[in-house]
Amino acid sequence: MGSLFEALMLILNVVWFIMIAHIVMSWLISFNVLNQRQPMVAQIWYALNRVLEPVYAPIRRILPQTPGIDFAPLVAFIVLIILQRTLANNAGFFYGY
């Protein structure tokens, strides 16, 4: 069961890093630090959007429409942190304590 706990934490950590990269990249694109016409930037942006859109889409359906601001990444990030903390606080269950 310990390996299940570690696998779940690894998956959550990878998702956390992907979300951080997406959030930072969206800021850099918004402030014209990165140009989406560059092929490498466009490929990374497209890949991050493809990976995270299944996470953001259900949240966007629940949240009210706010022009100019997308709160779906923030909500997903908060849920991810709650999942990580909950899993870490219940680690004894996985290790049989």
Side-chain angles (χ1 to χ4, degrees):
M1 285 294 265
S3 61
L4 177 64
F5 169 75
E6 292 174 16
L8 289 173
M9 287 300 287
L10 177 66
I11 291 169
L12 290 176
N13 284 333
V14 168
V15 171
W16 186 83
F17 281 113
I18 291 171
M19 287 182 69
I20 289 290
H22 184 258
I23 291 168
V24 169
M25 194 167 180
S26 71
W27 289 343
L28 292 175
I29 289 171
S30 294
F31 292 118
N32 293 323
V33 176
L34 292 177
N35 187 357
Q36 280 187 309
R37 291 188 203 113
Q38 294 176 342
M40 183 63 118
V41 173
Q43 286 179 340
I44 294 171
W45 182 246
Y46 178 72
L48 289 174
N49 280 332
R50 295 270 305 194
V51 168
L52 291 173
E53 190 57 34
V55 176
Y56 295 157
I59 297 170
R60 285 187 183 122
R61 282 194 297 262
I62 296 170
L63 291 177
Q65 297 266 339
T66 53
I69 299 176
D70 185 15
F71 287 113
L74 177 66
V75 172
F77 197 66
I78 291 170
V79 169
L80 181 69
I81 291 171
I82 290 170
L83 284 173
Q84 284 179 328
R85 300 284 163 89
T86 303
L87 200 58
N89 288 337
N90 293 312
F93 171 75
F94 292 99
Y95 289 110
Y97 297 126

